[in-house]
Amino acid sequence: QNIIPVNAEKIAYGKTETKKGITNVINAVLNTYHYASLPELNAILKQYNVVADRGKEEGRIYKYRGLVYRILDSNGNKIGVPVKASSINSQPTLARLEKLFVENEAKKELLNKSVKEKLDEVLAQKPASMKELEKLLEQKRIYTVRRQNTEGRIYGITFVDNQYKVVFNGSDLGKAYTAAHLQNSLGAVA
């Protein structure tokens, strides 16, 4: 099980008031985790069924550097009413996040080795599949997000360490932790 901060819980659409639920999650994550990009922040938020969304590149929100937060259903689809970043008390706007990305970059470097050690311990157990790898990582409080294309092919992997409160893409940690390398060495895609 993932360790969820005491003041944040997974949002269930229809059971949690949208803005209140999103605000609780954002306030719990914003200044406690170390992430250096929007996709990294979204890897953390996904655990809580929340996503930070810039909208379509040709859309108004994107064009004016806006940001909204949305609830995700169990399949990762955006549902419910979007909540503007500027309407949340902690002001998790794109401009504010970009400052945090820069600050977090240095902090992340200090945790790189600790996260690699956990991954190495799990890989030493020789998991038989990606699913088994994810289960073993969960026991070490690491949440795994696979990045897949529409055909279901995994092209990237992100690790969210809920103990050290940091996010790394596999490729940032080294070749041995990339999605391609892990799939090849595990010999199984699922």
Side-chain angles (χ1 to χ4, degrees):
Q1 267 320 76
N2 292 323
I3 305 304
I4 306 293
V6 285
N7 58 344
E9 55 190 52
K10 201 170 224 178
I11 295 177
Y13 183 68
K15 293 193 173 80
T16 315
E17 199 254 294
T18 301
K19 186 173 178 184
K20 185 176 181 224
I22 288 174
T23 299
N24 287 344
V25 169
I26 297 302
N27 290 346
V29 165
L30 207 61
N31 296 311
T32 53
Y33 279 82
H34 307 304
Y35 46 88
S37 68
L38 202 57
E40 287 183 9
L41 173 61
N42 277 331
I44 302 163
L45 295 177
K46 190 174 185 200
Q47 298 175 99
Y48 303 102
N49 295 338
V50 174
V51 65
D53 184 10
R54 291 201 55 199
K56 292 184 170 51
E57 272 190 50
E58 62 280 1
R60 257 190 76 227
I61 295 172
Y62 192 94
K63 185 177 167 190
Y64 292 103
R65 294 182 41 78
L67 191 66
V68 295
Y69 291 88
R70 310 276 309 258
I71 292 179
L72 299 172
D73 66 15
S74 55
N75 297 318
N77 300 311
K78 298 170 199 164
I79 52 172
V81 184
V83 175
K84 285 183 179 176
S86 58
S87 75
I88 297 172
N89 60 1
S90 55
Q91 294 288 302
T93 59
L94 188 60
R96 167 124 193 263
L97 291 176
E98 285 172 341
K99 286 181 185 140
L100 288 170
F101 297 160
V102 174
E103 288 172 25
N104 287 336
E105 197 63 59
K107 294 173 186 167
K108 280 181 58 172
E109 282 313 302
L110 301 172
L111 296 164
N112 183 312
K113 191 167 169 267
S114 305
V115 175
K116 272 188 189 177
E117 284 170 4
K118 282 189 185 186
L119 289 167
D120 289 341
E121 285 170 24
V122 166
L123 290 169
Q125 294 175 52
K126 305 222 181 305
S129 66
M130 286 294 277
K131 247 195 181 36
E132 192 182 329
L133 172 70
E134 289 169 7
K135 275 205 167 77
L136 291 169
L137 287 171
E138 229 174 71
Q139 292 167 14
K140 294 210 175 276
R141 294 172 60 182
I142 293 178
Y143 174 71
T144 308
V145 179
R146 299 185 201 188
R147 296 190 305 285
Q148 294 175 278
N149 64 16
T150 46
E151 292 83 53
R153 195 181 75 76
I154 301 169
Y155 63 86
I157 193 161
T158 303
F159 302 105
V160 179
D161 190 313
N162 288 304
Q163 178 186 353
Y164 295 119
K165 306 272 188 266
V166 66
V167 187
F168 286 104
N169 288 322
S171 55
D172 294 341
L173 292 169
K175 190 177 185 298
Y177 311 100
T178 63
H181 181 83
L182 289 170
Q183 285 179 103
N184 289 339
S185 64
L186 298 176
V189 175

